[in-house]
Amino acid sequence: MKTKKYIDVEFYEVEDDRAAFVEVTYKGRDKRTHRGLMMLDTGSNINAVFGKMEKDVELVLSPDDENGKEEVVGIKGTKEQMVQVCFPFTMGGTAFNEPFLLMNRQMDEMQVGELPVVGVLGNVFLQRYELVVDYAEHSLHTSTIVPKDFAIEQCEYFCPMYMGLKYYGLPMVFVKETEGDQEVVTVIDTGSADNMASRMAVERYGLPCSLQDETCDITGIGGTVCARRGRVEFGVKGFASERQLTVNTYNDDFMVVEQPALLDVGGKDEEGDDLPPVEMLLGSVFLGREGWVLDFGAQAMYKRRVA
């Protein structure tokens, strides 16, 4: 019988707007205990450890790695082969020994404050341990919600996760032009500081958008893409009650990229139709400012109503 691990750790505080991180410790080749940071990445369905850790930690090939490598789709749609290894670490006094994919060295220089970023905890980890990425409390903790006792009416915003997790392996919401009917598949991505959108999607769905002239680069798994900063007006669909839909409206900063989609999973829905591509994502700065709670135990995303 599996023993449930109870976790309650605060986000690692950073001075600037970044993704969500938690502190971990691990044993190095020198037999000493080292500190590092794991990025919480709901926009990823894998756990990953960065290539720089090979020289500091003895990484053993995972017994689950039957084929030697696993294919991962990167930020530009490129595919990359990664080896699966075991990386033992401790978080909040609880020990873990999870399978991780060994990422190439393009992310090796990531550091927040005095601590290096050693890897990524993705949805597979958050779901397995029924964790909550809680921007209202600035913490990662075990879910304690009993779904049948959860009152949607207590929330300013509520959206179930199950459809996104079922078809995309990621938490999803639907974004729309505030007065329109067309919906944009949008990932909730704690691993990205910024909101992102495809320029083609913004124009196609009629989302009001103002763009700056200067461009900047965004680096992720699989490479770098060019983007322009801007503001986008949009609505996020949710539920006001079990039977009543609602749309929360926002006007927020975005990184707008020229590529036609952010992610195309290429799958089918229950009717056999092609799944639409992911064309937008909402990042950590937005989620933190709004105080969203991403509960992988209850499989729900919500914002608590302030009394």
Side-chain angles (χ1 to χ4, degrees), residues 176-178 202 205-210 231-234 251-252:
K176 60 191 290 293
E177 197 272 325
T178 52
V202 168
Y205 298 112
L207 300 175
C209 175
S210 58
R231 290 190 70 84
V232 178
E233 294 180 27
F234 61 99
N251 186 327
D252 211 77

Side-chain angles (χ1 to χ4, degrees), residues 78-146:
T78 56
K79 297 179 179 179
E80 185 174 333
Q81 298 290 326
M82 295 186 184
V83 175
Q84 191 174 82
V85 298
C86 288
F87 176 55
F89 67 95
T90 299
M91 178 174 63
T94 301
F96 299 89
N97 190 5
E98 301 292 310
F100 280 75
L101 295 183
L102 184 60
M103 192 179 293
N104 65 28
R105 296 187 174 274
Q106 66 194 26
M107 308 292 282
D108 278 3
E109 302 306 314
M110 285 189 68
Q111 181 148 333
V112 178
E114 63 178 9
L115 296 181
V117 181
V118 300
V120 168
L121 296 176
N123 287 321
V124 62
F125 183 87
L126 300 171
Q127 291 185 71
R128 179 178 181 183
Y129 295 106
E130 298 182 358
L131 296 179
V132 182
V133 183
D134 192 334
Y135 282 94
E137 300 294 335
H138 301 283
S139 68
L140 176 71
H141 58 83
T142 303
S143 175
T144 57
I145 286 178
V146 178

Side-chain angles (χ1 to χ4, degrees), residues 62-307:
S62 170
D64 299 329
D65 192 11
E66 299 177 355
N67 301 316
K69 292 186 177 182
E70 185 171 329
E71 190 173 76
V72 177
V73 180
I75 190 172
K76 300 174 72 173
T78 56
K79 297 179 179 179
E80 185 174 333
Q81 298 290 326
M82 295 186 184
V83 175
Q84 191 174 82
V85 298
C86 288
F87 176 55
F89 67 95
T90 299
M91 178 174 63
T94 301
F96 299 89
N97 190 5
E98 301 292 310
F100 280 75
L101 295 183
L102 184 60
M103 192 179 293
N104 65 28
R105 296 187 174 274
Q106 66 194 26
M107 308 292 282
D108 278 3
E109 302 306 314
M110 285 189 68
Q111 181 148 333
V112 178
E114 63 178 9
L115 296 181
V117 181
V118 300
V120 168
L121 296 176
N123 287 321
V124 62
F125 183 87
L126 300 171
Q127 291 185 71
R128 179 178 181 183
Y129 295 106
E130 298 182 358
L131 296 179
V132 182
V133 183
D134 192 334
Y135 282 94
E137 300 294 335
H138 301 283
S139 68
L140 176 71
H141 58 83
T142 303
S143 175
T144 57
I145 286 178
V146 178
K148 67 180 180 64
D149 298 331
F150 187 79
I152 296 175
E153 291 79 6
Q154 296 175 357
C155 301
E156 184 176 320
Y157 175 79
F158 176 87
C159 183
M161 278 188 191
Y162 64 88
M163 291 298 288
L165 295 178
K166 178 179 179 179
Y167 291 113
Y168 293 85
L170 303 169
M172 297 284 184
V173 295
F174 290 104
V175 161
K176 60 191 290 293
E177 197 272 325
T178 52
E179 301 298 330
D181 296 322
Q182 296 189 86
E183 300 172 347
V184 189
V185 178
T186 303
V187 175
I188 303 301
D189 189 355
T190 62
S192 171
D194 298 300
N195 301 326
M196 288 180 61
S198 158
R199 182 172 181 176
M200 292 175 64
V202 168
E203 294 176 349
R204 180 166 60 252
Y205 298 112
L207 300 175
C209 175
S210 58
L211 292 177
Q212 300 177 9
D213 292 332
E214 61 268 23
T215 61
C216 56
D217 291 335
I218 301 173
T219 300
I221 298 173
T224 299
V225 296
C226 183
R228 293 170 63 188
R229 295 187 182 275
R231 290 190 70 84
V232 178
E233 294 180 27
F234 61 99
V236 182
K237 290 185 66 175
F239 288 85
S241 68
E242 288 188 14
R243 295 179 175 83
Q244 181 184 354
L245 287 170
T246 185
V247 177
N248 288 32
T249 58
Y250 304 94
N251 186 327
D252 211 77
D253 293 327
F254 271 76
M255 303 293 283
V256 179
V257 299
E258 294 295 335
Q259 62 192 67
L262 304 183
L263 175 66
D264 191 347
V265 297
K268 303 282 187 181
D269 62 19
E270 291 179 341
E271 284 72 41
D273 296 325
D274 292 336
L275 291 174
V278 176
E279 295 176 295
M280 295 179 70
L281 68 81
L282 298 178
S284 196
V285 174
F286 171 85
L287 300 170
R289 187 174 61 249
E290 292 298 319
W292 278 33
V293 179
L294 315 179
D295 190 326
F296 285 83
Q299 293 203 352
M301 300 171 283
Y302 58 91
K303 178 180 179 179
R304 299 183 182 98
R305 190 179 299 279
V306 178

